Amino acid sequence: MTNYQIIRKILTLTFLFSTFLIFGQEYGLEDFETDSVPTQKTQYKWHNSKIHWVIEKKNESIKIRQNDYNYSKGDSLPFSKKQIEKKIKNYHSIRAVKKVNDGYIVGLNGGEFGGGLWFISKNGKKSYEISSYIRVRQIFEFNNKLYVIRGLAHLGSSYGSLFELKKDKKWKIQKDFQLPDAPRFVVLEDENILILTTERLMSFDKNENLIELLKAPFYWGMYYPSSAIVDSNNIYIAMRKGILKITEFKYNPNFEWLVKK
């Protein structure tokens, strides 16, 4: 091994180790402190921050770590890259996968470059497009039904919807519930789901009632919310630069902005 190869190997290992330290380290709420909540006037302050958080619950403890930018949500496809390329156009924009009884529902999201919704059989031999030009954010089960959230926020426009998927001979869109702006992700609760959009927090229950719980105190869409957890009557939303804590979010919301100490 030449000196150049040795140096290159050391640099690669150093990079991998430092990446693990940055993205693998976990924090608790005690590692954060309260700062001023961004407003419509100050929302650009942290827009370009390089810090971006993910929040989750582990064994009833709240854990926070830096975003690893894994944009794909849901299950994994048991096929090789070559197999997927043959079945799905723009396979590189796969953002959501849901395993179903007869195969896999696959959602694409290429932003302004389009998207789509596909079905692939269990053995990967059959596939078809359910719908084209749908920018899929997430595919999930709720109340024994399969739902998809889709939408796009781009150049001042923001739109989206929640729709149900149902299988007859093929999978198809059954019902479509319009959202006031583009969704980011959903948080599942026992009796309902919470849908975080670019400007709002919505609720959707088992009776298919879609209501707005609250409007964001600033345009949090530009802070790219990544995840959220509900803890009692509070919700914590992880995004760029900080964690937005909303106490009594369903009835009397109060906002608190948490940043790393």
Side-chain angles (χ1 to χ4, degrees):
M1 185 179 292
T2 65
N3 289 337
Y4 172 77
Q5 289 173 321
I6 293 172
I7 293 172
R8 186 174 179 179
K9 190 171 184 179
I10 292 173
L11 289 174
T12 300
L13 291 172
T14 302
F15 172 77
L16 291 173
F17 181 68
S18 61
T19 300
F20 172 77
L21 289 178
I22 292 172
F23 295 107
Q25 188 171 358
E26 292 183 337
Y27 303 97
L29 290 173
E30 66 277 5
D31 298 307
F32 286 70
E33 60 186 0
T34 302
D35 198 355
S36 299
V37 176
T39 65
Q40 299 295 353
K41 291 183 178 180
T42 65
Q43 63 189 10
Y44 288 95
K45 184 177 180 181
W46 305 119
H47 172 58
N48 293 318
S49 172
K50 294 181 180 179
I51 300 172
H52 196 175
W53 300 109
V54 170
I55 192 167
E56 59 187 344
K57 263 189 179 180
K58 288 185 176 181
N59 299 322
E60 298 305 314
S61 296
I62 296 174
K63 298 297 181 183
I64 303 165
R65 57 181 170 80
Q66 285 219 42
N67 197 345
D68 57 7
Y69 300 99
N70 180 12
Y71 296 111
S72 183
K73 294 180 180 292
D75 300 312
S76 300
L77 289 171
F79 312 118
S80 68
K81 177 180 173 182
K82 190 174 182 180
Q83 285 176 299
I84 299 172
E85 279 184 290
K86 291 179 179 179
K87 300 295 181 183
I88 298 178
K89 299 175 182 177
N90 301 321
Y91 73 96
H92 56 275
S93 61
I94 290 175
R95 293 293 178 266
V97 176
K98 181 63 181 175
K99 186 177 181 180
V100 291
N101 289 335
D102 54 342
Y104 300 86
I105 305 294
V106 181
L108 311 182
N109 190 339
E112 63 269 34
F113 302 106
L117 191 66
W118 286 75
F119 168 79
I120 303 179
S121 63
K122 282 183 178 180
N123 59 14
K125 293 182 178 180
K126 295 181 181 179
S127 66
Y128 57 84
E129 189 174 42
I130 300 169
S131 183
S132 59
Y133 303 109
I134 291 180
R135 282 87 170 180
V136 175
R137 298 293 308 189
Q138 198 169 342
I139 307 168
F140 59 95
E141 283 185 81
F142 172 66
N143 196 30
N144 296 317
K145 296 178 181 179
L146 194 62
Y147 289 96
V148 176
I149 54 169
R150 63 96 185 181
L152 177 68
H154 182 62
L155 297 178
S157 70
S158 184
Y159 62 88
S161 67
L162 162 76
F163 60 79
E164 179 189 345
L165 276 180
K166 197 169 184 179
K167 187 181 178 185
D168 188 3
K169 292 182 180 179
K170 288 185 175 183
W171 287 94
K172 62 181 180 179
I173 295 174
Q174 183 73 8
K175 294 181 181 178
D176 196 347
F177 303 87
Q178 293 298 308
L179 296 171
D181 40 84
R184 295 291 302 179
F185 55 81
V186 303
V187 180
L188 298 176
E189 291 192 297
D190 292 334
E191 298 296 325
N192 66 320
I193 62 168
L194 302 176
I195 307 171
L196 191 96
T197 72
T198 54
E199 296 186 69
R200 294 170 176 83
L201 183 63
M202 311 288 294
S203 175
F204 184 76
D205 65 24
K206 60 184 179 181
N207 296 316
E208 299 184 335
N209 296 310
L210 180 65
I211 62 171
E212 179 180 319
L213 292 179
L214 59 86
K215 192 149 189 302
F218 59 97
Y219 182 57
W220 60 31
M222 69 162 51
Y223 280 52
Y224 306 101
S226 67
S227 51
I229 61 164
V230 175
D231 186 48
S232 186
N233 295 320
N234 307 326
I235 187 169
Y236 296 84
I237 305 171
M239 54 186 79
R240 185 166 288 184
K241 183 57 181 180
I243 308 292
L244 185 64
K245 177 184 179 182
I246 312 175
T247 58
E248 297 291 339
F249 70 97
K250 290 184 179 179
Y251 312 106
N252 185 29
N254 182 61
F255 302 95
E256 185 179 353
W257 184 240
L258 306 175
V259 297
K260 181 72 172 57
K261 290 179 181 178

